[in-house]
Amino acid sequence: MTELQQVGVTSTNAEVTKRHADQASVLLAIELIWNLCEVLFIDSAPAGSLLLHLVDWLRLHKSDVDEKAREVLQDESPTEHRDYWEVVIGYVLQGSLVEARQMLMKQANLHPAALKMYTLMDSLLSKMPFYNPGGTQTLMEFDVKWKNWHGEVDRSLQDGSFARNKHLELICKILVGDEDTLLEHKELLGTWYHFLVTRLLYCHPTVKPTELHFYAQSCMTMFLDSRSVLEPLDSILLAAFEFDIHQVIKDCSIALNNWWFVAHLTDLLDHCKLLQSHNLHFGSNLREFLLSEYASSLFSHHSLWQLAVDYFDNCPELGRVSLELQIERVPLDTERKALKVLSICEQRQMSEQVRSICKIMAMRALRNDRLGSALSWSIRAKDAALATVISERFLQDYSAKGSFTDLDLIDNLGPAMLLSDRLTFLGKYREFHKLYGEKRFREAAKLLLCLMTAKIAPQSFWMTLLTDALPLLEQKEVIFSVEQTHELMFCLEELTSSLNTPSPKDQLMQEEDIDNTKVELLRLALARNLAMAIVSEGTMES
């Protein structure tokens, strides 16, 4: 609020100044209502203490007197300043009698002839009793003492003690609570609720909470012009003085520009056990409904949507369902934002939303040819079908380029490779390449054969696997045994025989132009390896 006021003052743009001033006025109104609700509903001050709280509330929100006082005191001749008496009377109207006496003493020192009058006024001001809730004095004793003081002020007024000084006489009339005098100074009072507190201070200091609404209504009627229309703030404050909590909340919901205030005020009142009896017709209490509405409004903001999650967490009835509905509407503009949303869903075991977010991000990455990211998201979504599609794309990419992208991801699949057969094959095929690169040929050969015979590898990829077997078949030492060579021969024959009757699963195979030269090379290598294996195994047996 202070920042808004400062920006409004320093800005040269009239539109910006007005916008900031409007926002600051809304916050000022909110603070005014909030503090009054604290006094009336939360502190629940009894007679005597109630007025003290109201006076503090008034002073807190009536700072113009202090600002004027600073200007007056900075002047070379404060008592000659045009606002001097306005400040003194302003202090008296809001019950700041110590400050009023300090200002009056400056005038008294300059007018020795009128010193007696100023001394009398200072005595009356200093003797005004204020109730002390923590003291030993009872409310009845305070009331007697106050009435005695009030009688003394009235006698001073009646006997003309201040007749020769209109300003001191005016202050005396205020002290006796003269309504006509108070209403003549509407400009200094400013508002009907200032008039209410001043009138109570000098006429009914022991007002009870149950009596407050009568005085509030009469002060509003007396202060406002009969033709004037009530402002929303007036209606809200009047409802508060009538101790109608729900009307305050209702009026605030209508008058204020967002749900922030009513949500937090209702939450506070609910914690004070003041709203237990008020349930709504659609299965939720007022507190939860307003918190949920406020949280929903936050979700439309580009950055504040994360705060809304905490509000939904504090709504046991509707929070979970509302969060599930709202979280699906958060635009996943970036991967970082998607991870934030995902973390929120995972912490709350929102499995459907987790799968949905991961699938959206996986498909987006796939469309942008970011296969590693797509595979990572599909694994996180535990979506076998999507993982299969992405694994196929990896294999197509390998067939086209002769190398894998995103090796770190494939090398560290771990148990995730069991999500789908294609993903298992992708992981194991990469493992074969690593074994081959480390010259662990026998282990590589065994894994390659296993991929084909266990039907893990798609048949459309068999020619690539058999081609990978060629360097192993042409090694000086025998890598494939007789039995393993026979199995490779069987796979080659099964592959070549299926070329005449291709199935939909073999579309990748059809796209590859398998020439007869490659097949003949494989047959020749397999026959040579078989002969070598027979000799080798025969020699070992003998």
Side-chain angles (χ1 to χ4, degrees):
M1 186 165 60
T2 305
E3 286 177 7
L4 283 171
Q5 289 168 334
Q6 287 173 349
V7 172
V9 169
T10 55
S11 176
T12 54
N13 187 321
E15 188 180 337
V16 172
T17 301
K18 184 180 183 306
R19 186 169 68 249
H20 283 76
D22 290 344
Q23 291 175 349
S25 67
V26 170
L27 290 173
L28 282 166
I30 284 174
E31 190 186 22
L32 184 72
I33 299 163
W34 183 285
N35 292 151
L36 183 61
C37 289
E38 280 186 294
V39 169
L40 300 179
F41 305 141
I42 297 164
D43 291 338
S44 301
S49 298
L50 176 60
L51 181 61
L52 295 176
H53 286 306
L54 289 174
V55 169
D56 288 339
W57 169 69
L58 180 66
R59 289 173 184 166
L60 182 64
H61 297 282
K62 185 78 172 161
S63 58
D64 58 332
V65 180
D66 292 319
E67 290 170 10
K68 276 186 182 178
R70 279 192 290 271
E71 288 179 23
V72 169
L73 293 172
Q74 285 170 2
D75 194 84
E76 290 181 4
S77 304
T79 56
E80 301 298 324
H81 195 282
R82 58 189 172 84
D83 291 333
Y84 171 80
W85 282 108
E86 271 193 22
V87 169
V88 176
I89 293 164
Y91 275 136
V92 174
L93 287 172
Q94 68 178 26
S96 301
L97 303 188
V98 173
E99 291 82 352
R101 288 173 61 201
Q102 289 171 350
M103 295 294 287
L104 281 173
M105 288 309 295
K106 294 183 180 299
Q107 189 73 250
N109 294 332
L110 295 175
H111 298 86
L115 185 61
K116 186 178 178 182
M117 272 193 294
Y118 282 103
T119 305
L120 177 59
M121 177 55 71
D122 185 69
S123 174
L124 292 175
L125 291 172
S126 67
K127 286 195 289 188
M128 180 179 175
F130 286 90
Y131 182 68
N132 181 10
T136 55
Q137 189 181 50
T138 65
L139 187 63
M140 190 176 292
E141 289 171 340
F142 163 75
D143 191 40
V144 171
K145 188 175 180 182
W146 184 87
K147 283 177 179 174
N148 289 334
W149 169 83
H150 196 263
E152 186 180 346
V153 176
D154 191 43
R155 284 191 298 275
S156 299
L157 182 64
Q158 297 302 327
D159 63 20
S161 298
F162 304 107
R164 288 183 295 130
N165 189 311
K166 63 176 183 178
H167 297 297
L168 294 181
E169 188 175 42
L170 171 61
I171 293 172
C172 196
K173 286 181 180 180
I174 293 172
L175 294 179
V176 295
D178 184 73
E179 289 177 358
D180 292 334
T181 303
L182 292 175
L183 290 171
E184 285 169 10
H185 292 81
K186 281 186 179 182
E187 287 186 9
L188 290 179
L189 289 168
T191 60
W192 65 267
Y193 46 88
H194 188 179
F195 173 49
L196 166 67
V197 176
T198 303
R199 185 182 170 201
L200 292 174
L201 181 64
Y202 296 119
C203 297
H204 311 284
T206 57
V207 62
K208 297 174 184 175
T210 52
E211 301 167 341
L212 199 55
H213 69 282
F214 294 114
Y215 292 114
Q217 185 64 65
S218 67
C219 285
M220 179 185 279
T221 306
M222 292 164 65
F223 193 87
L224 299 178
D225 191 282
S226 57
R227 292 166 296 175
S228 58
V229 179
L230 278 185
E231 294 289 330
L233 179 60
D234 296 325
S235 300
I236 293 166
L237 294 177
L238 186 61
F241 284 123
E242 291 172 350
F243 287 85
D244 191 341
I245 294 175
H246 301 114
Q247 191 62 44
V248 170
I249 293 167
K250 181 181 175 182
D251 289 348
C252 287
S253 301
I254 296 167
L256 299 176
N257 58 2
N258 63 58
W259 294 101
W260 177 84
F261 176 64
V262 287
H264 290 82
L265 176 63
T266 306
D267 180 59
L268 183 63
L269 295 173
D270 186 75
H271 284 302
C272 295
K273 312 296 182 190
L274 295 171
L275 293 172
Q276 287 177 313
S277 61
H278 196 77
N279 288 318
L280 303 176
H281 298 301
F282 38 84
S284 173
N285 61 35
L286 182 60
R287 169 193 173 272
E288 185 164 330
F289 169 74
L290 291 172
L291 283 178
S292 182
E293 286 297 306
Y294 176 58
S296 298
S297 70
L298 286 178
F299 255 101
S300 61
H301 195 277
H302 66 91
S303 63
L304 297 180
W305 64 270
Q306 294 175 79
L307 293 176
V309 177
D310 294 325
Y311 286 92
F312 281 131
D313 285 343
N314 282 280
C315 298
E317 297 279 339
L318 300 174
R320 172 81 179 198
V321 176
S322 301
L323 178 58
E324 287 175 353
L325 291 171
Q326 292 288 345
I327 205 85
E328 291 173 354
R329 299 174 188 171
V330 176
L332 305 175
D333 307 320
T334 62
E335 197 154 305
R336 185 181 176 186
K337 190 171 182 179
L339 288 169
K340 285 181 180 179
V341 177
L342 194 64
S343 174
I344 289 166
C345 294
E346 286 175 341
Q347 287 168 11
R348 289 155 185 80
Q349 287 86 47
M350 294 161 62
S351 52
E352 285 299 317
Q353 283 71 25
V354 167
R355 279 195 291 273
S356 174
I357 292 163
C358 292
K359 285 179 73 172
I360 290 167
M361 296 306 292
M363 293 303 295
R364 185 181 296 173
L366 190 59
R367 284 195 297 272
N368 295 325
D369 291 324
R370 293 169 53 236
L371 298 182
S373 178
L375 183 59
S376 177
W377 282 110
S378 68
I379 290 169
R380 200 160 184 174
K382 297 182 174 61
D383 191 316
L386 190 55
T388 299
V389 170
I390 297 167
S391 300
E392 288 278 10
R393 283 283 298 273
F394 263 104
L395 296 174
Q396 288 177 22
D397 202 46
Y398 174 78
S399 298
K401 298 177 182 175
S403 62
F404 284 114
T405 55
D406 300 288
L407 286 178
D408 285 344
L409 175 64
I410 301 171
D411 288 345
N412 295 286
L413 284 172
M417 72 169 65
L418 301 175
L419 184 61
S420 77
D421 290 344
R422 285 290 185 278
L423 191 55
T424 303
F425 169 70
L426 181 64
K428 290 295 181 184
Y429 185 53
R430 168 60 188 156
E431 195 177 319
F432 159 76
H433 278 276
K434 287 174 71 178
L435 291 171
Y436 187 88
E438 294 167 3
K439 301 189 184 302
R440 294 158 66 184
F441 297 133
R442 292 188 187 280
E443 292 175 58
K446 186 178 179 182
L447 178 57
L448 186 71
L449 190 62
C450 181
L451 290 174
M452 297 179 71
T453 56
K455 308 296 183 185
I456 296 173
Q459 198 175 56
S460 57
F461 210 75
W462 278 17
M463 182 51 73
T464 303
L465 294 177
L466 288 166
T467 306
D468 287 334
L470 264 175
L472 296 172
L473 291 168
E474 293 174 351
Q475 293 289 324
K476 289 181 179 179
E477 60 175 323
V478 177
I479 303 298
F480 290 102
S481 66
V482 173
E483 184 181 350
Q484 289 174 326
T485 309
H486 278 133
E487 287 176 339
L488 284 173
M489 287 177 163
F490 174 77
C491 289
L492 179 61
E493 293 308 314
E494 186 178 344
L495 179 62
T496 52
S497 64
S498 69
L499 286 175
N500 299 321
T501 55
S503 64
K505 292 182 180 179
D506 297 323
Q507 288 175 2
L508 180 61
M509 179 68 191
Q510 289 174 359
E511 291 170 9
E512 290 183 0
D513 183 18
I514 301 179
D515 54 47
N516 290 327
T517 308
K518 192 179 286 186
V519 174
E520 291 305 318
L521 274 173
L522 280 166
R523 282 176 177 157
L524 183 62
L526 286 165
R528 189 185 299 123
N529 189 81
L530 181 61
M532 290 172 63
I534 290 170
V535 172
S536 176
E537 289 178 20
T539 304
M540 287 175 67
E541 285 176 9
S542 63

